[in-house]
Amino acid sequence: MIVPGDVLDFYRGRRVLVTGGLGFIGSNLARRLVELGGEVVLVDSLIPEYGGNRANIAGIEDAVRVNVSDVRDEHSLPSLLSGQEVLFNLAGQTSHVDSLHDPFTDLDINCRSQLSILEACRRECPDAKIVFASTRQLYGRPRYLPVDEEHPLAPVDPNGVNKAAGEAYHLVYGRVYGLRSAVLRLTNTYGPRMRVKDDRQTFLGTWLRLAVEGEELQIFGDGSQRRDFTYVDDAVDAFLLAGVRSEADGEVFNLGGEASVSLLELAELLIEVAGGGSYRVVPFPEERRSIDIGDYVADDRKIRERLGWQPSVVLRDGLARSLDYYREHAAEYW
Ligand SMILES: NC(=O)c1ccc[n+]([C@@H]2O[C@H](COP(=O)([O-])OP(=O)(O)OC[C@H]3O[C@@H](n4cnc5c(N)ncnc54)[C@H](O)[C@@H]3O)[C@@H](O)[C@H]2O)c1
């Protein structure tokens, strides 16, 4: 989308902190904020299993302040947050399977730390705007499609439960303490700078790597599961808009994509765009079957109508741009 001028102007000289800022979405957001003239601080723990990667800020490293720290360390938060005007809160443990194996780490990062961040905000930067990165995983297995924000929350794994609590704290701190928080419930987001080493972030990361290598992709189930995808630049637009617009305060918005596809259609499109590779449909590994949500398609009319958000990158183009990026930067991501 063409982001309106007032939104672009807003970030010039603005003190902005991005938690998870060396990760996939956080670093793409940081790059845009630097372009817009923001004074940007990135907080990231750089835990090797997560999506943080110093290569993600190549070219802007001198234009941002990086603070390698863990949001579980509640003592470092007040000084980081003091004087900040906008907080994009994206730090998170993103793997659903990891949250089954180690639910307490997920709890500490996605739930407890969120409370610590909000406590620090209410003391150190009570007027800051906060945008929290939530997830469609909160809805669990959809009861109807497309899924709007009124859909019941029924997460299927500890990650979804903890993200739901993290999200709820943001809204509660808005109601009780007047913090201006907005929540974006993201669907599968993809593009340059995502983790492709493994499927901790999304299966599509692995698929992109395998497609670049001309290898076989595996589709779990029968491939008929429908999904929607947001290209990362479009997701960044949504964060920028939510960070500026007061209509977003206290609100929850789904982000979707341009159109939904089945996993089979996605695999075929990816292989066509990559010009190589193949796919095989295999049975679900048991653990993954237990947390699979079936079909998911977001109803994202609310953010389109209220904030004027609109995705502009169609799946074919987004996949092509992602493949180009990883062909060029394989060494930093494999
Ligand atoms: N990518 C998606 O499809 C998607 C979908 C739904 C929700 N989200 C949410 O968006 C946010 C960003 O996700 P992403 O895809 O960029 O993943 P990512 O893993 O690339 O980014 C998360 C970042 O948070 C950092 N981090 C993790 N724990 C931390 C801690 N304790 N202290 C400080 N930093 C920590 C990681 O190092 C990483 O850089 C996450 O909160 C995630 O739950 C992403």
Side-chain angles (χ1 to χ4, degrees):
M1 70 176 287
I2 314 268
V3 178
D6 65 315
V7 174
L8 302 184
D9 289 344
F10 173 85
Y11 290 100
R12 189 167 310 124
R14 199 62 76 173
R15 287 189 299 277
V16 183
L17 186 133
V18 184
T19 69
L22 295 177
F24 163 45
I25 303 171
S27 63
N28 280 286
L29 176 59
R31 302 180 87 83
R32 285 284 289 287
L33 288 166
V34 166
E35 267 171 42
L36 299 178
E39 273 183 42
V40 183
V41 179
L42 308 179
V43 173
D44 203 293
S45 58
L46 281 179
I47 294 167
E49 289 76 19
Y50 301 166
N53 187 338
R54 281 196 182 271
N56 286 344
I57 57 161
I60 58 159
E61 54 277 77
D62 296 333
V64 294
R65 191 154 67 80
V66 175
N67 190 296
V68 177
S69 61
D70 197 304
V71 292
R72 285 172 291 184
D73 174 10
E74 59 195 61
H75 302 294
S76 68
L77 292 171
S79 59
L80 286 168
L81 283 158
S82 174
Q84 296 298 338
E85 295 173 280
V86 184
L87 166 64
F88 290 110
N89 190 11
L90 284 82
Q93 192 300 107
T94 62
S95 164
H96 300 286
V97 171
D98 285 6
S99 85
L100 294 176
H101 297 166
D102 183 1
F104 292 104
T105 296
D106 196 278
L107 174 76
D108 287 343
I109 297 175
N110 288 329
C111 179
R112 191 178 203 290
S113 301
Q114 302 309 315
L115 199 49
S116 311
I117 290 169
L118 291 162
E119 274 293 303
C121 284
R122 109 181 150 83
R123 298 203 162 85
E124 304 294 336
C125 54
D127 298 325
K129 178 68 182 264
I130 305 169
V131 186
F132 176 64
S134 185
T135 168
R136 65 148 162 77
Q137 197 70 6
L138 267 57
Y139 298 117
R141 287 186 79 84
R143 296 188 190 173
Y144 57 84
L145 294 174
V147 175
D148 58 17
E149 291 85 355
E150 303 304 315
H151 187 287
L153 303 186
V156 294
D157 53 38
N159 179 265
V161 174
N162 296 328
K163 288 290 284 190
E167 178 189 297
Y169 284 135
H170 281 76
L171 298 171
V172 163
Y173 270 59
R175 285 193 292 271
V176 178
Y177 299 113
L179 293 186
R180 295 183 298 128
S181 355
V183 170
L184 301 181
R185 287 188 187 146
L186 310 182
T187 188
N188 291 290
T189 309
Y190 73 103
R193 304 181 183 85
M194 69 197 289
R195 183 180 174 98
V196 298
K197 270 185 196 171
D198 52 38
D199 58 6
R200 281 199 158 86
Q201 230 164 44
T202 72
F203 68 94
L204 184 51
T206 332
W207 281 19
L208 285 166
R209 178 171 52 78
L210 293 170
V212 167
E213 291 173 328
E215 298 285 338
E216 182 182 85
L217 328 173
Q218 289 195 339
I219 303 178
F220 297 151
D222 62 6
S224 67
Q225 308 94 298
R226 296 200 79 75
R227 288 285 186 279
D228 51 7
F229 296 89
T230 314
Y231 187 68
V232 67
D233 290 356
D234 289 327
V236 165
D237 287 346
F239 277 94
L240 294 176
L241 276 171
V244 174
R245 295 270 187 256
S246 56
E247 302 93 296
D249 297 359
E251 296 289 337
V252 172
F253 298 98
N254 284 344
L255 281 195
E258 176 240 0
S260 71
V261 289
S262 72
L263 295 191
L264 271 177
E265 288 164 347
L266 176 67
E268 279 164 8
L269 180 63
L270 179 60
I271 288 164
E272 184 197 322
V273 175
S278 59
Y279 69 83
R280 191 156 55 96
V281 178
V282 299
F284 258 108
E286 198 40 53
E287 193 174 48
R288 284 188 179 270
R289 184 199 308 281
S290 67
I291 58 171
D292 182 55
I293 58 157
D295 293 335
Y296 178 86
V297 181
D299 179 340
D300 59 12
R301 280 176 299 173
K302 181 174 169 185
I303 190 166
R304 291 177 190 244
E305 286 163 12
R306 297 216 196 157
L307 303 190
W309 179 75
Q310 202 182 325
S312 61
V313 181
V314 298
L315 189 55
R316 175 183 289 275
D317 292 348
L319 293 175
R321 291 191 206 178
S322 308
L323 290 165
D324 285 348
Y325 181 81
Y326 288 108
R327 285 197 178 105
E328 196 180 333
H329 297 283
E332 292 118 56
Y333 292 91
W334 262 216

